[in-house]
Amino acid sequence: MCRVVDLQQAVLAKNDACAHTLREDLAARGTAVVNLLSSPGSGKTALLERELTLAHSRGIPVAALTADLATENDAVRLARSGVPVKQVLTDGLCHLEAEMLGGHLHGWLPADTRLLFIENVGNLVCPASYDLGETLRIVLASVTEGEDKPLKYPTAFGLAHLVVVTKMDIAEAVAFDEKEFRANVERINPGVEVVLTSARGGEGDGLLLDRALAARDGAPVHIPVMTRKSHHVHDAEDGQPHDEGHTHEGHTHDESHTHHGEHAHAARAQDRGHARTTDSDTVASSRS
């Protein structure tokens, strides 16, 4: 068991070092990363498509990278916005990692990109443990998922800089209790902003874009209590301090440790260059 935990910690330490470097490199070129996490079916792609379309209409240079185990469906949808889009197929891996992300950005990300939106694999367990060099981490939950979602996934919600509720147009129909949901978020991540959205009804249009641009331009970003509790420094072998705003010591790893085999597989897969990519030009041609 100790060897499994040691492996997990080593993988996370390596990822944090890569995320630190990636964050500095992107900041130097004026690009901020927005990491979007949610369960499958939360409405994340629909909401992101609207935000990308709005950014394109405003002339704001943004790009999007979307990760899935299989299919290019999300990239096809996001490419309709007119912004650069890349699909990453993880071939069964449950999350993205910083080194993997950096490899896919090399030679693809336009030089003038102000915001890079990452649509992470639909999963609230594995992706929550991996810093991608983001400036803003956003966790989304739909009104159909239940008010207790923050309590069930404390790491994902506990490390969020912003929480987004989706599908508010059907909130009444599914008897969504907004007050209870907000209370549960507050228990896990005191002080984090919760915003309400509806990709179909238009509620909250532009909120994600505005918050992301503000963070990119230096506006204060919420620091979760889970982060403030622990500012650990990795071993000398790593040589990189953990970036403020991201921590693994505070995580509740009961769920994450059940995926240690997947995490080890992820490390092996990235060494092999396992994940595949498709950019928006390829997606567009495949549709014609």
Side-chain angles (χ1 to χ4, degrees), residues 239-257:
Q240 290 287 1
H242 200 291
D243 291 309
E244 185 170 329
H246 301 276
T247 182
H248 301 295
E249 267 179 35
H251 286 182
T252 302
H253 277 307
D254 293 342
E255 294 171 305
S256 298
H257 281 167

Side-chain angles (χ1 to χ4, degrees), residues 173-243:
V174 298
F176 175 68
D177 190 331
E178 179 189 338
K179 183 177 180 180
E180 182 180 349
F181 179 85
R182 287 181 180 273
N184 289 336
V185 170
E186 185 68 14
R187 286 177 59 185
I188 300 300
N189 193 346
V192 70
E193 183 183 11
V194 177
V195 300
L196 310 179
T197 67
S198 168
R200 178 174 294 180
E203 182 174 356
D205 270 6
L207 280 176
L208 268 66
L209 180 60
D210 291 343
R211 299 298 191 276
L213 286 170
R216 183 262 182 194
D217 293 337
V221 173
H222 169 73
I223 302 177
V225 170
M226 188 177 288
T227 298
R228 295 198 294 264
K229 284 180 179 178
S230 173
H231 296 286
H232 71 279
V233 178
H234 294 309
D235 295 336
E237 292 180 347
D238 183 299
Q240 290 287 1
H242 200 291
D243 291 309

Side-chain angles (χ1 to χ4, degrees), residues 37-41 44 67-69 94 119-124 127:
L37 288 76
S38 79
S39 300
K44 180 166 74 267
D68 273 308
L69 277 66
C94 61
E119 185 181 16
N120 219 314
V121 179
N123 181 346
L124 283 176

Side-chain angles (χ1 to χ4, degrees), residues 150-189:
L151 305 181
K152 287 185 174 183
Y153 299 94
T155 300
F157 284 88
L159 289 175
H161 301 124
L162 178 68
V163 174
V164 174
V165 180
T166 62
K167 305 184 182 180
M168 282 300 296
D169 54 299
I170 60 171
E172 184 176 354
V174 298
F176 175 68
D177 190 331
E178 179 189 338
K179 183 177 180 180
E180 182 180 349
F181 179 85
R182 287 181 180 273
N184 289 336
V185 170
E186 185 68 14
R187 286 177 59 185
I188 300 300
N189 193 346

Side-chain angles (χ1 to χ4, degrees), residues 39-285:
S39 300
S42 68
K44 180 166 74 267
T45 306
L47 185 61
L48 180 55
E49 183 182 353
R50 289 183 71 98
E51 298 297 301
L52 295 177
T53 301
L54 181 60
H56 185 63
S57 71
R58 291 182 182 177
I60 302 169
V62 303
L65 182 146
T66 180
D68 273 308
L69 277 66
T71 82
E72 298 172 357
N73 296 346
D74 287 354
V76 170
R77 293 173 60 186
L78 295 180
R80 297 186 302 212
S81 67
V83 309
V85 175
K86 172 172 277 194
Q87 176 79 58
V88 173
L89 299 180
T90 65
D91 285 341
L93 302 186
C94 61
H95 61 278
L96 285 174
E97 297 181 13
E99 185 175 10
M100 186 189 304
L101 174 62
H104 296 315
L105 297 183
H106 182 70
W108 168 74
L109 188 66
D112 64 343
T113 303
R114 292 177 64 189
L115 294 173
L116 171 64
F117 289 91
I118 305 295
E119 185 181 16
N120 219 314
V121 179
N123 181 346
L124 283 176
V125 181
C126 300
S129 296
Y130 288 85
D131 180 5
L132 297 182
E134 65 259 25
T135 299
L136 197 63
R137 176 178 289 206
I138 301 177
V139 176
L140 303 90
S142 72
V143 298
T144 61
E145 294 178 70
E147 294 82 2
D148 62 347
K149 185 69 76 174
L151 305 181
K152 287 185 174 183
Y153 299 94
T155 300
F157 284 88
L159 289 175
H161 301 124
L162 178 68
V163 174
V164 174
V165 180
T166 62
K167 305 184 182 180
M168 282 300 296
D169 54 299
I170 60 171
E172 184 176 354
V174 298
F176 175 68
D177 190 331
E178 179 189 338
K179 183 177 180 180
E180 182 180 349
F181 179 85
R182 287 181 180 273
N184 289 336
V185 170
E186 185 68 14
R187 286 177 59 185
I188 300 300
N189 193 346
V192 70
E193 183 183 11
V194 177
V195 300
L196 310 179
T197 67
S198 168
R200 178 174 294 180
E203 182 174 356
D205 270 6
L207 280 176
L208 268 66
L209 180 60
D210 291 343
R211 299 298 191 276
L213 286 170
R216 183 262 182 194
D217 293 337
V221 173
H222 169 73
I223 302 177
V225 170
M226 188 177 288
T227 298
R228 295 198 294 264
K229 284 180 179 178
S230 173
H231 296 286
H232 71 279
V233 178
H234 294 309
D235 295 336
E237 292 180 347
D238 183 299
Q240 290 287 1
H242 200 291
D243 291 309
E244 185 170 329
H246 301 276
T247 182
H248 301 295
E249 267 179 35
H251 286 182
T252 302
H253 277 307
D254 293 342
E255 294 171 305
S256 298
H257 281 167
T258 65
H259 292 267
H260 63 78
E262 291 164 327
H263 293 150
H265 176 55
R268 293 193 298 271
Q270 73 179 55
D271 290 338
R272 296 194 303 268
H274 193 57
R276 303 194 305 274
T277 63
T278 305
D279 63 25
S280 54
D281 291 338
T282 304
V283 169
S285 65

